[in-house]
């Protein structure tokens, strides 16, 4: 492959023409593919076939609780045991709830704004507060902060986790920094997993705010693509050892284990935090849908079976990741116009264009019928300062659709890159030129 | 039956002895009955047998949506249509959500405190606010207010609804009164249904606060014990006609239709309110459990079948209401020591002792193994100013258990009443005497 930057202008112009023809061909196919979200594909959902039907009209939990009736705020005992084991916490350190871990995070922050988190410090809403946002990150975390008027500070996300020098410096100085968002394993979207050292530093660091909290969204805890699970140091244990037992809230769900829309979500933390949360949640609800919890426990029976189940997921989506990675390597490798992640798990491939190209690439793909995650979505306020990160979500489409979508995507990346290179040679501001190279009308 | 108040002291003392013996007999039976909450009994839950299993591994909604996957924040279209028809609103005026209508109420108020309700007025949390609480009422409504530091003003609940003269006067004067809790049909616990006139007055009344809201918890909308449904005027229509289209939020659920812990909850309001709410909820969750919604729609198919289903519920619980009412009438009628409601639907019988007796009755019953709803629970802050209201929840126990529990209850009522009468004759303060008539140690 040839480094595009070394090609002369005529060669680039020729390539541009050919790629434009190909792009127009795609446009005429009237594609309609949505790759914007990390959704499991139907075959993955089929892995849990019979989950609900498996209740077999026996609705009694192990302790005799009729799961159809009211009660059980903290979740069924057997569901707490199962997910406690999987998350490496104790059963009394976990609440198993409804179908949305996002709701657990959102509600926790809403309560923190109104009441604080520890019964000692003031409600977070009494003064402007800030959250640290390792980025690229999960857009729905950032949306919660934006919604609640929590100022977001972007922290570079590296191969081993957030830039801890920066994190430590900021939290030591600023009492209004109350939290940090973390997707510690197979991070959304870059796929990295926090190193032991980063976990330790997060647990031990000195924070000016004594009510500082880590929002540990372990959404991909068991979602490895590799034969051996990628290890992640236990943050709750680390926090306890560092004498900050209440510092972390761990979230997870079965959204990408059983059913994305109809699974179970959970929050784990110190017993003190969990008991406080239970008291607050008792005002909100009489209890979660225990029938769905019972169905899940009956379906899996034990943690080992969950892990086996996750291998089946990996078998379905691994070829999709490989297809994307192979196409990227074959078509873009060595051209020096893009970089991308090679994740060992999770749901995304993080793709970086040349600076200033991501929005245009996403727009071009959309114009030809392939919807990607909005460019910028992986950064606070939806603004990618370098306009280069694109989140590729390969799990939902079929292999045939995915191949087509990626071929189009690769064409778009090349066209926008060539345009950028040519622009810079002509020393014209890139924004005056449309992606296809026609000069825009200057008003 | 003899009016207790006309009996001479010796007769009362003799009755007291006999009743005490009976009470002690009950105590020795080591009963363990919980009548504290309005829970459906197993036979009622059995009416929905096969609800989940009925999905039959076909998870596609009418529009092709795979209900297992993410999305559908406002609820499945067919679920919205079904419950819109049942609640007499339009499908775009309703959100069908998870298993807890309480959570919908709680979350709505949390958001109102942080953001206000209309995008124009200030967040409710910026100043102390108040809610009107028709009482006796639902303890979980009052718990939400207490949790969020919303001052509660008790409004007498009459046979046709809240004391509207008082309500109108208060809301016209006080801008910090932002809401009123209503259980408009088969109210919890008194069983009354609001008259058309009360509904109209609520919809049309002038409120000093332009962001005043009615929290219309129509929990027992279809829960009639009578052959013909008890009518309730449509509050949303009334509000629209009164040019206050955004004034009301209507809540309901299938908690007492299908499964108390695993049903569907819904909120209905003006399209403007619903759209605002949808935008806010989109930050909280990707969507509710649509599989459960699909299961419900498949199970019922249409509103008519829901109504037929509710007749089966009535057939199961009507004998329980009748048992309680007959026992009360036989054992307490004419004794002038208690009054009680004769509800046409809902889940409760509201029982009033002589003033100052409710707590003691509940305590005595508990000491003999029958747990009733905490005395005072039906009033704001758990304080019944006359200490006389007790909520009887007859649905959950079997007829045999219920008979036993009510026999005990009736003994307790008589013992505490006799004690009170004797005390007043002796002109001793009642609190120095234990329920069984032994003089308490005076320190």
């Amino acid at each position: 492959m040839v480094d595009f930057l070394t090609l002369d202008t005529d060669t680039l112009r020729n390539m541009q023409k050919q790629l434009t023809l190909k792009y127009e061909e795609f446009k005429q196919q009237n594609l309609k593919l949505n790759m914007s979200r990390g959704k499991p594909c139907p075959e993955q959902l089929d892995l849990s076939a019979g989950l609900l039907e498996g209740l077999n009209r026996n609705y009694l939990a192990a302790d005799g609780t009729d799961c159809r009736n009211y009660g059980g705020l903290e979740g069924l005992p057997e569901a707490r045991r199962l997910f406690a084991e999987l998350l490496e916490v104790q059963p009394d350190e976990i609440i198993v709830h409804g179908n949305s871990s996002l709701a657990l995070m959102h509600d926790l922050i809403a309560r923190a704004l109104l009441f604080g988190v520890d019964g000692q410090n003031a409600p977070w809403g009494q003064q402007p507060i800030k959250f640290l946002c390792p980025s690229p990150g999960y857009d729905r975390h950032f949306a919660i902060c934006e919604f609640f008027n929590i100022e977001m500070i972007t922290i570079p996300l590296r191969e081993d986790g957030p830039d801890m020098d920066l994190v430590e410096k900021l939290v030591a100085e600023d009492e209004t920094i109350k939290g940090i968002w973390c997707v510690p394993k197979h991070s959304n979207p870059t796929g990295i997993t926090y190193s032991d050292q980063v976990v330790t530093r997060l647990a031990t660091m000195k924070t000016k705010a004594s009510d500082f909290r880590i929002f540990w969204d372990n959404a991909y805890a068991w979602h490895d693509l590799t034969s051996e699970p990628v290890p992640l140091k236990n943050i709750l244990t680390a926090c306890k050892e560092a004498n900050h037992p209440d510092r972390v809230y761990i979230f997870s769900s079965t959204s990408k284990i059983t059913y994305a829309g109809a699974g179970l979500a959970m929050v784990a933390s110190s017993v003190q935090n969990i008991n406080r949360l239970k008291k607050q949640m008792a005002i909100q609800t009489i209890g979660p849908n225990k029938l769905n919890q019972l169905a899940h426990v009956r379906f899996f029976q034990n943690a080992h079976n969950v892990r086996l189940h996750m291998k089946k997921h990996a078998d379905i989506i691994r070829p999709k990741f490989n297809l994307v990675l192979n196409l990227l390597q074959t078509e873009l490798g060595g051209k020096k116009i893009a970089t991308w992640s090679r994740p060992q798990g999770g749901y995304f491939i993080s793709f970086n264009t040349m600076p200033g190209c991501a929005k245009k690439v996403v727009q071009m793909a959309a114009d030809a019928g392939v919807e990607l995650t909005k460019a910028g979505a992986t950064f606070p306020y939806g603004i990618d300062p370098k306009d280069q990160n694109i989140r590729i979500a390969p799990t939902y489409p079929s292999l045939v659709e995915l191949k087509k979508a990626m071929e189009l995507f690769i064409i778009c990346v090349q066209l926008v890159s060539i345009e950028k290179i040519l622009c810079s040679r002509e020393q014209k501001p890139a924004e005056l030129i449309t992606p296809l190279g026609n000069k825009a009308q200057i008003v």
Side-chain angles (χ1 to χ4, degrees), chain A residues 45-55 259 295 299:
Chain A
L45 299 168
D46 287 345
L47 292 176
S48 300
L51 176 80
L52 294 171
E53 296 80 357
L55 283 172
Y259 297 141
F299 186 74

Side-chain angles (χ1 to χ4, degrees), chain A residues 359-375:
Chain A
K359 271 189 193 164
K360 283 181 189 161
V361 169
V362 170
Q363 183 60 52
M364 276 192 80
D367 291 343
V370 173
E371 198 181 333
L372 298 161
T373 307
K374 216 177 147 196

Side-chain angles (χ1 to χ4, degrees), chain A residues 227-376:
Chain A
S227 55
E228 283 304 306
V230 174
L232 173 69
K233 189 177 160 97
N234 186 323
I235 182 102
L236 184 58
T237 305
C239 284
K240 286 176 191 169
E241 285 168 4
N243 263 329
H244 304 132
D246 301 329
R247 179 175 283 183
V248 67
Y249 298 114
I250 300 168
F251 304 92
S252 197
S253 78
T254 71
S255 294
K256 282 152 182 146
I257 297 177
T258 56
Y259 297 141
L264 308 178
M266 54 222 74
V267 53
S269 193
S270 67
V271 170
Q272 178 160 304
N273 280 348
I274 289 296
N275 286 345
R276 183 181 158 84
L277 187 53
K278 269 166 61 178
K279 269 189 203 155
Q280 294 178 319
M281 287 174 69
I283 306 297
Q284 183 186 32
T285 180
I286 306 176
N289 184 327
K290 295 185 300 299
L291 273 187
N292 202 28
Q293 299 195 2
L294 186 67
H296 275 73
V297 174
R298 293 252 182 91
F299 186 74
F300 285 120
Q301 296 181 54
N302 57 50
H304 176 68
N305 286 335
V306 174
R307 293 194 193 96
L308 287 181
H309 185 85
M310 293 315 292
K311 286 191 185 293
K312 297 181 197 163
H313 276 283
D315 289 344
I316 293 170
I317 63 177
R318 195 184 298 105
K320 298 185 180 185
F321 277 84
N322 288 341
L323 174 80
V324 171
L325 292 170
N326 289 339
L327 275 173
L328 291 176
Q329 188 56 41
T330 313
E331 301 295 325
L332 296 179
K335 291 185 176 170
K336 304 238 169 127
I337 55 174
T339 60
W340 53 89
S341 64
R342 287 163 189 82
Q344 297 186 281
Y347 263 61
F348 302 105
I349 290 162
S350 182
F351 186 93
N352 281 324
T353 63
M354 297 168 76
C357 293
K359 271 189 193 164
K360 283 181 189 161
V361 169
V362 170
Q363 183 60 52
M364 276 192 80
D367 291 343
V370 173
E371 198 181 333
L372 298 161
T373 307
K374 216 177 147 196

Side-chain angles (χ1 to χ4, degrees), chain A residues 1-20:
Chain A
M1 285 289 174
V2 191
D3 178 350
F4 271 27
L5 296 164
T6 65
L7 294 176
D8 63 41
T9 299
D10 283 349
T11 310
L12 284 173
R13 287 219 181 279
N14 271 332
M15 291 175 69
Q16 191 180 37
K17 271 180 204 150
Q18 287 166 29
L19 287 162
T20 302

Side-chain angles (χ1 to χ4, degrees), chain A residues 97-110:
Chain A
H97 198 59
N99 73 322
S100 170
S101 60
L102 195 70
L104 289 170
M105 301 173 213
H106 168 281
D107 293 1
L108 221 151
I109 290 179

Side-chain angles (χ1 to χ4, degrees), chain A residues 420-438:
Chain A
K420 179 171 166 92
I421 296 167
L422 291 176
C423 261
S424 69
R425 288 185 190 170
E426 294 173 27
Q427 291 181 311
K428 285 186 186 164
E431 55 271 26
L432 299 182
I433 313 275
T434 67
L436 295 185
N438 307 313

